[in-house]
Protein backbone atom coordinates (compact mmCIF):
# COMPACT_ATOMS: atom_id res chain seq x y z
CA UNK A 1 0.00 0.00 0.00
CA UNK A 2 1.62 3.25 -1.11
CA UNK A 3 -0.72 5.43 -3.19
CA UNK A 4 -3.95 6.70 -1.64
CA UNK A 5 -6.74 8.73 -3.20
CA UNK A 6 -8.71 10.95 -0.78
CA UNK A 7 -12.20 12.04 -1.87
CA UNK A 8 -13.31 15.31 -0.24
CA UNK A 9 -16.77 16.52 0.76
CA UNK A 10 -18.90 18.01 -2.07
CA UNK A 11 -20.48 20.73 0.14
CA UNK A 12 -17.74 23.30 -0.58
CA UNK A 13 -14.10 23.95 -1.43
CA UNK A 14 -11.42 22.89 1.05
CA UNK A 15 -10.32 25.79 3.28
CA UNK A 16 -13.65 27.59 2.76
CA UNK A 17 -14.90 26.45 6.18
CA UNK A 18 -18.20 25.16 4.74
CA UNK A 19 -17.04 21.57 5.26
CA UNK A 20 -16.51 22.17 9.00
CA UNK A 21 -14.30 19.81 11.01
CA UNK A 22 -13.82 17.36 8.16
CA UNK A 23 -11.61 19.97 6.44
CA UNK A 24 -9.18 19.98 9.38
CA UNK A 25 -9.37 16.18 9.64
CA UNK A 26 -8.47 15.83 5.95
CA UNK A 27 -5.64 18.36 6.19
CA UNK A 28 -4.12 16.68 9.24
CA UNK A 29 -4.44 13.19 7.78
CA UNK A 30 -2.80 14.23 4.49
CA UNK A 31 0.16 15.71 6.39
CA UNK A 32 0.56 12.72 8.68
CA UNK A 33 0.28 10.09 5.92
CA UNK A 34 2.76 12.01 3.72
CA UNK A 35 5.16 12.10 6.67
CA UNK A 36 4.86 8.31 6.80
CA UNK A 37 5.92 8.08 3.15
CA UNK A 38 2.52 7.64 1.50
CA UNK A 39 1.71 9.33 -1.79
CA UNK A 40 -1.60 11.16 -1.28
CA UNK A 41 -3.78 12.78 -3.93
CA UNK A 42 -7.00 14.56 -2.92
CA UNK A 43 -9.94 15.15 -5.22
CA UNK A 44 -12.02 18.15 -4.16
CA UNK A 45 -14.34 20.85 -5.53
CA UNK A 46 -12.92 23.76 -7.55
CA UNK A 47 -11.03 26.46 -5.56
CA UNK A 48 -9.92 23.99 -2.88
CA UNK A 49 -6.59 24.81 -1.29
CA UNK A 50 -4.31 23.20 1.29
CA UNK A 51 -0.63 23.94 1.85
CA UNK A 52 1.64 20.95 1.19
CA UNK A 53 -1.01 18.77 -0.48
CA UNK A 54 -1.66 17.47 -4.00
CA UNK A 55 -5.22 18.50 -4.86
CA UNK A 56 -7.12 17.83 -8.08
CA UNK A 57 -9.90 20.42 -8.41
CA UNK A 58 -13.15 19.33 -10.00
CA UNK A 59 -15.85 21.56 -11.53
CA UNK A 60 -19.53 21.23 -10.72
CA UNK A 61 -22.33 22.32 -8.40
CA UNK A 62 -21.74 21.89 -4.69
CA UNK A 63 -24.17 19.82 -2.62
CA UNK A 64 -26.62 20.87 0.09
CA UNK A 65 -25.23 19.74 3.48
CA UNK A 66 -27.13 16.73 4.89
CA UNK A 67 -27.76 18.48 8.23
CA UNK A 68 -29.94 21.13 6.59
CA UNK A 69 -32.41 18.43 5.41
CA UNK A 70 -35.01 16.43 7.30
CA UNK A 71 -34.48 12.70 7.90
CA UNK A 72 -37.07 11.46 5.44
CA UNK A 73 -36.07 13.60 2.47
CA UNK A 74 -34.97 11.63 -0.62
CA UNK A 75 -31.35 11.92 -1.74
CA UNK A 76 -30.97 14.92 -4.06
CA UNK A 77 -28.37 15.28 -6.82
CA UNK A 78 -27.92 18.82 -8.20
CA UNK A 79 -27.46 19.39 -11.92
CA UNK A 80 -23.78 18.91 -12.89
CA UNK A 81 -23.09 17.52 -9.41
CA UNK A 82 -19.50 18.03 -8.28
CA UNK A 83 -19.80 14.77 -6.35
CA UNK A 84 -20.78 12.88 -9.49
CA UNK A 85 -17.90 14.52 -11.38
CA UNK A 86 -15.39 13.72 -8.62
CA UNK A 87 -16.35 10.05 -8.56
CA UNK A 88 -16.32 9.82 -12.33
CA UNK A 89 -12.75 11.07 -12.21
CA UNK A 90 -11.92 8.56 -9.44
CA UNK A 91 -13.34 5.70 -11.48
CA UNK A 92 -11.03 6.52 -14.39
CA UNK A 93 -7.84 6.75 -12.30
CA UNK A 94 -8.64 4.10 -9.68
CA UNK A 95 -6.15 1.51 -10.96
CA UNK A 96 -3.26 3.88 -10.07
CA UNK A 97 -4.22 3.72 -6.37
CA UNK A 98 -4.12 1.05 -3.67
CA UNK A 99 -6.99 2.56 -1.68
CA UNK A 100 -9.65 5.26 -2.07
CA UNK A 101 -10.79 7.05 1.11
CA UNK A 102 -14.17 8.75 1.04
CA UNK A 103 -14.83 11.73 3.35
CA UNK A 104 -18.23 12.69 1.87
CA UNK A 105 -21.38 12.00 3.88
CA UNK A 106 -23.39 11.22 0.76
CA UNK A 107 -25.39 8.39 -0.74
CA UNK A 108 -23.42 8.10 -4.01
CA UNK A 109 -19.98 7.05 -2.66
CA UNK A 110 -21.60 4.39 -0.47
CA UNK A 111 -23.66 3.07 -3.36
CA UNK A 112 -20.62 3.01 -5.68
CA UNK A 113 -18.42 0.91 -3.36
CA UNK A 114 -19.13 -2.52 -4.97
CA UNK A 115 -18.75 -1.07 -8.48
CA UNK A 116 -15.11 -0.07 -7.93
CA UNK A 117 -12.22 -2.53 -8.19
CA UNK A 118 -10.03 -0.44 -5.85
CA UNK A 119 -11.22 -0.77 -2.23
CA UNK A 120 -13.02 2.24 -0.71
CA UNK A 121 -12.60 3.19 2.97
CA UNK A 122 -15.60 5.19 4.21
CA UNK A 123 -14.76 7.82 6.81
CA UNK A 124 -18.03 9.08 8.29
CA UNK A 125 -17.79 12.60 9.70
CA UNK A 126 -21.33 13.05 11.06
CA UNK A 127 -23.92 11.19 13.10
CA UNK A 128 -27.07 9.71 11.54
CA UNK A 129 -29.10 12.38 9.72
CA UNK A 130 -30.99 10.70 6.91
CA UNK A 131 -32.98 7.49 6.51
CA UNK A 132 -31.91 6.92 2.92
CA UNK A 133 -28.23 7.39 3.83
CA UNK A 134 -28.53 5.06 6.85
CA UNK A 135 -30.08 2.37 4.71
CA UNK A 136 -27.36 2.58 2.06
CA UNK A 137 -24.51 2.74 4.59
CA UNK A 138 -25.92 -0.25 6.47
CA UNK A 139 -26.16 -2.31 3.29
CA UNK A 140 -22.55 -1.56 2.32
CA UNK A 141 -21.25 -2.02 5.89
CA UNK A 142 -22.74 -5.54 6.01
CA UNK A 143 -20.99 -6.32 2.72
CA UNK A 144 -17.68 -4.64 3.70
CA UNK A 145 -17.58 -4.97 7.49
CA UNK A 146 -14.15 -3.33 7.92
CA UNK A 147 -14.60 -0.33 5.64
CA UNK A 148 -16.48 2.11 7.91
CA UNK A 149 -14.56 4.46 10.19
CA UNK A 150 -15.98 7.10 12.55
CA UNK A 151 -14.67 9.64 15.06
CA UNK A 152 -16.35 8.44 18.29
CA UNK A 153 -18.44 5.74 19.94
CA UNK A 154 -21.32 8.19 20.52
CA UNK A 155 -21.36 8.87 16.78
CA UNK A 156 -21.23 5.15 15.87
CA UNK A 157 -24.20 4.52 18.17
CA UNK A 158 -26.43 6.70 15.98
CA UNK A 159 -26.09 4.15 13.14
CA UNK A 160 -27.72 0.72 12.72
CA UNK A 161 -24.26 -0.75 11.92
CA UNK A 162 -22.57 0.71 15.02
CA UNK A 163 -20.86 -2.60 15.85
CA UNK A 164 -18.99 -2.54 12.55
CA UNK A 165 -17.54 0.96 12.95
CA UNK A 166 -13.85 1.43 13.50
CA UNK A 167 -13.44 4.19 16.15
CA UNK A 168 -10.62 6.45 14.94
CA UNK A 169 -10.90 9.64 17.03
CA UNK A 170 -9.16 12.77 15.84
CA UNK A 171 -5.70 14.33 16.09
CA UNK A 172 -3.89 17.65 15.86
CA UNK A 173 -0.47 18.91 14.88
CA UNK A 174 0.34 20.16 18.36
CA UNK A 175 3.16 22.37 17.14
CA UNK A 176 0.52 24.65 15.57
CA UNK A 177 -1.22 25.36 18.89
CA UNK A 178 0.60 27.33 21.55
CA UNK A 179 -0.23 26.70 25.19
CA UNK A 180 -1.11 29.75 27.28
CA UNK A 181 -1.08 29.69 31.06
CA UNK A 182 -2.58 33.17 31.22
CA UNK A 183 -6.03 34.18 30.04
CA UNK A 184 -8.38 37.14 30.05
CA UNK A 185 -11.96 37.23 31.27
CA UNK A 186 -13.58 36.30 27.98
CA UNK A 187 -15.00 33.16 26.41
CA UNK A 188 -14.82 31.66 22.93
CA UNK A 189 -17.30 29.92 20.68
CA UNK A 190 -16.12 28.43 17.40
CA UNK A 191 -17.59 26.52 14.53
CA UNK A 192 -19.94 26.82 11.60
CA UNK A 193 -22.71 29.29 12.44
CA UNK A 194 -25.72 27.08 11.74
CA UNK A 195 -28.79 25.95 13.75
CA UNK A 196 -27.40 22.51 14.75
CA UNK A 197 -24.61 24.30 16.65
CA UNK A 198 -27.05 26.35 18.80
CA UNK A 199 -24.83 29.41 19.16
CA UNK A 200 -27.84 31.18 20.70
CA UNK A 201 -27.38 29.21 23.94
CA UNK A 202 -23.80 30.45 24.33
CA UNK A 203 -24.88 34.02 23.55
CA UNK A 204 -27.67 33.77 26.15
CA UNK A 205 -25.26 32.45 28.80
CA UNK A 206 -22.92 35.40 28.11
CA UNK A 207 -25.84 37.82 28.18
CA UNK A 208 -26.62 36.54 31.70
CA UNK A 209 -23.03 36.44 33.01
CA UNK A 210 -21.88 39.52 31.04
CA UNK A 211 -18.61 37.71 30.24
CA UNK A 212 -17.57 38.75 26.69
CA UNK A 213 -17.89 36.07 24.01
CA UNK A 214 -15.61 35.94 20.95
CA UNK A 215 -17.25 34.11 18.05
CA UNK A 216 -15.13 32.50 15.30
CA UNK A 217 -16.38 30.66 12.24
CA UNK A 218 -18.06 30.59 8.91
CA UNK A 219 -21.58 32.03 8.80
CA UNK A 220 -23.31 29.17 7.00
CA UNK A 221 -26.86 30.39 7.67
CA UNK A 222 -27.09 34.20 7.48
CA UNK A 223 -30.76 34.35 8.55
CA UNK A 224 -30.02 32.26 11.65
CA UNK A 225 -27.14 34.62 12.58
CA UNK A 226 -29.29 37.73 12.10
CA UNK A 227 -31.99 36.21 14.34
CA UNK A 228 -29.45 35.76 17.14
CA UNK A 229 -28.33 39.39 16.83
CA UNK A 230 -31.95 40.57 16.98
CA UNK A 231 -32.82 38.31 19.92
CA UNK A 232 -29.83 39.36 22.06
CA UNK A 233 -29.09 42.99 21.08
CA UNK A 234 -27.15 43.75 24.29
CA UNK A 235 -25.16 40.53 24.63
CA UNK A 236 -21.38 41.17 24.96
CA UNK A 237 -20.44 39.36 21.73
CA UNK A 238 -17.72 40.03 19.17
CA UNK A 239 -17.77 38.23 15.80
CA UNK A 240 -14.15 37.74 14.70
CA UNK A 241 -14.74 36.03 11.31
CA UNK A 242 -13.43 32.72 9.97
CA UNK A 243 -9.73 32.54 10.83
CA UNK A 244 -6.80 30.38 9.79
CA UNK A 245 -5.55 27.89 12.40
CA UNK A 246 -2.56 30.15 13.16
CA UNK A 247 -4.69 33.26 13.80
CA UNK A 248 -7.45 31.29 15.52
CA UNK A 249 -5.18 29.74 18.16
CA UNK A 250 -3.58 33.12 18.85
CA UNK A 251 -6.94 34.58 19.91
CA UNK A 252 -8.38 31.39 21.36
CA UNK A 253 -5.55 30.79 23.81
CA UNK A 254 -6.25 34.07 25.59
CA UNK A 255 -9.77 32.94 26.48
CA UNK A 256 -10.90 31.57 29.81
CA UNK A 257 -12.99 28.81 28.26
CA UNK A 258 -14.66 27.49 25.12
CA UNK A 259 -18.43 27.04 25.00
CA UNK A 260 -19.71 24.10 22.91
CA UNK A 261 -23.47 24.06 22.65
CA UNK A 262 -24.46 21.70 19.81
CA UNK A 263 -28.12 20.75 19.59
CA UNK A 264 -27.29 17.64 17.52
CA UNK A 265 -25.13 14.65 18.39
CA UNK A 266 -21.77 16.12 17.50
CA UNK A 267 -19.68 13.42 15.80
CA UNK A 268 -16.48 14.67 17.41
CA UNK A 269 -15.99 18.39 17.75
CA UNK A 270 -12.49 19.21 16.51
CA UNK A 271 -12.84 22.61 18.17
CA UNK A 272 -12.77 20.93 21.61
CA UNK A 273 -9.28 19.51 21.16
CA UNK A 274 -8.06 22.72 19.49
CA UNK A 275 -9.09 24.68 22.60
CA UNK A 276 -7.63 22.12 25.00
CA UNK A 277 -4.34 22.20 23.06
CA UNK A 278 -4.09 25.91 23.88
CA UNK A 279 -4.85 25.22 27.56
CA UNK A 280 -8.43 26.43 27.25
CA UNK A 281 -11.00 24.37 29.22
CA UNK A 282 -14.17 23.31 27.41
CA UNK A 283 -17.73 23.71 28.68
CA UNK A 284 -19.95 21.40 26.61
CA UNK A 285 -23.35 19.78 26.64
CA UNK A 286 -23.00 16.18 27.85
CA UNK A 287 -23.84 14.41 24.62
CA UNK A 288 -22.02 13.21 21.49
CA UNK A 289 -18.30 13.59 20.87
CA UNK A 290 -17.58 16.33 23.44
CA UNK A 291 -18.86 14.07 26.24
CA UNK A 292 -16.08 11.61 25.35
CA UNK A 293 -13.41 14.32 25.12
CA UNK A 294 -14.06 16.56 28.16
CA UNK A 295 -13.27 15.21 31.61
CA UNK A 296 -15.82 16.91 33.88
CA UNK A 297 -14.10 19.03 36.54
CA UNK A 298 -10.62 18.40 35.10
CA UNK A 299 -10.45 19.67 31.51
CA UNK A 300 -13.75 21.56 31.59
CA UNK A 301 -17.37 20.88 32.46
CA UNK A 302 -20.09 18.68 30.99
CA UNK A 303 -23.49 20.21 31.57
CA UNK A 304 -27.05 18.97 31.09
CA UNK A 305 -27.80 19.20 27.36
CA UNK A 306 -29.65 22.39 26.34
CA UNK A 307 -29.41 23.89 29.83
CA UNK A 308 -28.27 27.52 29.67
CA UNK A 309 -28.33 27.59 33.51
CA UNK A 310 -25.84 24.74 33.42
CA UNK A 311 -23.57 26.78 31.14
CA UNK A 312 -23.79 29.78 33.48
CA UNK A 313 -22.89 27.68 36.52
CA UNK A 314 -19.93 26.15 34.68
CA UNK A 315 -18.69 29.57 33.49
CA UNK A 316 -18.54 30.67 37.13
CA UNK A 317 -16.39 27.64 38.01
CA UNK A 318 -13.83 27.95 35.20
CA UNK A 319 -11.07 29.26 37.47
CA UNK A 320 -10.95 25.88 39.27
CA UNK A 321 -9.52 24.19 36.14
CA UNK A 322 -5.76 23.76 35.80
CA UNK A 323 -5.07 24.87 32.22
CA UNK A 324 -2.02 22.68 31.89
CA UNK A 325 -4.14 19.55 32.43
CA UNK A 326 -6.02 20.54 29.25
CA UNK A 327 -2.85 20.68 27.16
CA UNK A 328 -1.59 17.39 28.66
CA UNK A 329 -4.68 15.41 27.67
CA UNK A 330 -4.29 16.47 24.03
CA UNK A 331 -0.59 15.62 24.02
CA UNK A 332 -1.39 12.18 25.37
CA UNK A 333 -4.53 11.24 23.44
CA UNK A 334 -4.86 13.46 20.37
CA UNK A 335 -1.40 13.75 18.83
CA UNK A 336 -1.10 13.24 15.08
CA UNK A 337 1.21 10.26 15.67
CA UNK A 338 -1.26 8.32 17.84
CA UNK A 339 -4.13 9.14 15.50
CA UNK A 340 -2.07 8.34 12.39
CA UNK A 341 -1.27 4.87 13.79
CA UNK A 342 -4.99 4.11 14.06
CA UNK A 343 -5.73 5.29 10.52
CA UNK A 344 -2.76 3.44 9.04
CA UNK A 345 -3.77 0.18 10.73
CA UNK A 346 -7.37 0.65 9.50
CA UNK A 347 -6.23 1.30 5.92
CA UNK A 348 -3.98 -1.80 5.95
CA UNK A 349 -6.84 -3.95 7.24
CA UNK A 350 -9.13 -2.79 4.41
CA UNK A 351 -6.54 -3.41 1.69
CA UNK A 352 -5.92 -6.90 3.12
CA UNK A 353 -9.55 -7.94 3.50
CA UNK A 354 -11.23 -6.39 0.41
N1 LIG B 1 -12.57 26.78 12.28
C1 LIG B 1 -11.57 27.54 11.68
N2 LIG B 1 -11.57 28.89 11.83
C2 LIG B 1 -12.51 29.54 12.56
C3 LIG B 1 -13.53 28.76 13.20
C4 LIG B 1 -13.54 27.39 13.04
O1 LIG B 1 -10.69 26.99 11.01
O2 LIG B 1 -12.46 30.76 12.65
C5 LIG B 1 -12.57 25.32 12.09
C6 LIG B 1 -12.11 24.58 13.32
O3 LIG B 1 -10.73 24.53 13.35
C7 LIG B 1 -12.73 23.19 13.13
C8 LIG B 1 -13.95 23.45 12.27
O4 LIG B 1 -13.88 24.82 11.87
O5 LIG B 1 -11.86 22.31 12.49
C9 LIG B 1 -15.26 23.12 12.96
O6 LIG B 1 -15.29 21.76 13.13
P1 LIG B 1 -16.09 20.90 14.22
O7 LIG B 1 -15.52 19.51 14.18
O8 LIG B 1 -16.04 21.58 15.54
O9 LIG B 1 -17.60 20.90 13.74
P2 LIG B 1 -18.34 20.60 12.33
O10 LIG B 1 -18.32 21.90 11.57
O11 LIG B 1 -17.56 19.52 11.61
O12 LIG B 1 -19.72 20.17 12.66
Amino acid sequence: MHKLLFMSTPVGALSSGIGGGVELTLYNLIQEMQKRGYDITTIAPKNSYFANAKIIEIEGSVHIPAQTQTRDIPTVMPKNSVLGNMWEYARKVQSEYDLIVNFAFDWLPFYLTPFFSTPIAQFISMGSLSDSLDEMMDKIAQQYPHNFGVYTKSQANTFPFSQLCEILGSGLDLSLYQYSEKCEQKLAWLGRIAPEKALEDAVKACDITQVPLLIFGKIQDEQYWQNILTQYPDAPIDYRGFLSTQDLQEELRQCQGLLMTPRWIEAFGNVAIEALACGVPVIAYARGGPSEIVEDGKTGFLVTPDSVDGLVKAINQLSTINRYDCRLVVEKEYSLEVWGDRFEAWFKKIVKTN
Side-chain angles (χ1 to χ4, degrees), residues 19-22 24 190-192 197 216-217 241-245 248 264 266 269-271 274:
V22 78
L24 186 69
L190 48 138
R192 288 175 297 105
K197 298 289 186 175
F216 307 92
F242 177 75
L243 304 187
S244 66
T245 297
L248 178 67
W264 70 352
E266 187 75 48
N270 273 326
V271 299
E274 293 185 273

Side-chain angles (χ1 to χ4, degrees), residues 46-91:
K46 192 98 195 134
N47 300 322
S48 286
Y49 171 78
F50 272 162
N52 191 28
K54 221 181 341 177
I55 296 183
I56 295 171
E57 296 174 53
I58 303 284
E59 299 270 1
S61 316
V62 293
H63 279 226
I64 304 166
Q67 69 271 21
T68 64
Q69 310 287 294
T70 52
R71 286 202 67 83
D72 55 345
I73 216 156
T75 294
V76 174
M77 292 290 286
K79 190 169 169 232
N80 187 28
S81 151
V82 73
L83 184 68
N85 297 344
M86 284 161 63
W87 282 86
E88 188 179 343
Y89 185 93
R91 183 177 57 80

Side-chain angles (χ1 to χ4, degrees), residues 15 17-25 28 67 125-126 151 170 172 177 189-193 196-197 215-218 220 239-245 247-248 260 264 266-272 274:
S15 290
I18 294 287
V22 78
E23 291 184 20
L24 186 69
T25 295
N28 285 335
Q67 69 271 21
S125 62
M126 291 191 244
Y151 283 118
S170 193
L172 289 182
Y177 300 83
W189 187 96
L190 48 138
R192 288 175 297 105
I193 299 177
E196 66 272 13
K197 298 289 186 175
I215 300 168
F216 307 92
K218 185 93 192 162
Q220 200 170 23
Y239 176 59
R240 315 287 300 152
F242 177 75
L243 304 187
S244 66
T245 297
D247 295 343
L248 178 67
M260 278 187 86
W264 70 352
E266 187 75 48
F268 186 80
N270 273 326
V271 299
E274 293 185 273

Side-chain angles (χ1 to χ4, degrees), residues 9-288:
T9 165
V11 299
L14 287 172
S15 290
S16 70
I18 294 287
V22 78
E23 291 184 20
L24 186 69
T25 295
L26 245 171
Y27 176 76
N28 285 335
L29 193 62
I30 292 168
Q31 305 308 322
E32 181 61 21
M33 294 307 284
Q34 288 182 161
K35 207 167 84 194
R36 289 169 189 240
Y38 290 92
D39 182 348
I40 312 287
T41 302
T42 303
I43 297 188
K46 192 98 195 134
N47 300 322
S48 286
Y49 171 78
F50 272 162
N52 191 28
K54 221 181 341 177
I55 296 183
I56 295 171
E57 296 174 53
I58 303 284
E59 299 270 1
S61 316
V62 293
H63 279 226
I64 304 166
Q67 69 271 21
T68 64
Q69 310 287 294
T70 52
R71 286 202 67 83
D72 55 345
I73 216 156
T75 294
V76 174
M77 292 290 286
K79 190 169 169 232
N80 187 28
S81 151
V82 73
L83 184 68
N85 297 344
M86 284 161 63
W87 282 86
E88 188 179 343
Y89 185 93
R91 183 177 57 80
K92 289 186 189 140
V93 298
Q94 61 173 316
S95 61
E96 297 167 29
Y97 296 90
D98 303 304
L99 180 70
I100 297 171
V101 188
N102 171 42
F103 292 85
F105 191 65
D106 274 274
W107 190 89
L108 186 70
F110 304 130
Y111 174 78
L112 286 176
T113 308
F115 294 92
F116 272 63
S117 44
T118 301
I120 303 175
Q122 304 284 358
F123 181 74
I124 312 297
S125 62
M126 291 191 244
S128 169
L129 289 171
S130 142
D131 295 338
S132 75
L133 270 189
D134 275 12
E135 184 191 41
M136 185 47 68
M137 283 189 282
D138 190 35
K139 195 170 148 190
I140 299 301
Q142 302 304 331
Q143 217 173 322
Y144 300 89
H146 302 296
N147 293 34
F148 281 71
V150 296
Y151 283 118
T152 59
K153 196 137 197 49
S154 319
Q155 178 198 359
N157 287 341
T158 67
F159 297 116
F161 53 92
S162 60
Q163 297 307 319
L164 301 176
C165 294
E166 192 83 24
I167 314 288
L168 297 160
S170 193
L172 289 182
D173 177 351
L174 280 156
S175 69
L176 302 180
Y177 300 83
Q178 203 180 314
Y179 168 71
S180 171
E181 182 71 44
K182 286 202 283 287
C183 64
E184 290 162 25
Q185 227 221 354
K186 56 189 179 190
L187 297 165
W189 187 96
L190 48 138
R192 288 175 297 105
I193 299 177
E196 66 272 13
K197 298 289 186 175
L199 168 61
E200 65 274 22
D201 288 14
V203 172
K204 190 172 176 188
C206 289
D207 201 21
I208 296 169
T209 56
Q210 283 299 306
V211 180
L213 179 68
L214 305 187
I215 300 168
F216 307 92
K218 185 93 192 162
I219 299 177
Q220 200 170 23
D221 186 332
E222 182 65 39
Q223 188 56 52
Y224 167 73
W225 169 240
Q226 290 303 329
N227 289 348
I228 294 176
L229 297 182
T230 313
Q231 205 181 345
Y232 300 101
D234 303 320
I237 61 174
D238 184 4
Y239 176 59
R240 315 287 300 152
F242 177 75
L243 304 187
S244 66
T245 297
Q246 169 61 26
D247 295 343
L248 178 67
Q249 62 88 33
E250 238 166 65
E251 296 212 30
L252 176 62
R253 68 176 187 246
Q254 297 165 23
C255 294
Q256 214 187 359
L258 173 79
L259 298 182
M260 278 187 86
T261 49
R263 202 71 81 211
W264 70 352
I265 296 183
E266 187 75 48
F268 186 80
N270 273 326
V271 299
I273 54 173
E274 293 185 273
L276 294 174
C278 299
V280 176
V282 177
I283 296 174
Y285 288 150
R287 73 174 152 223

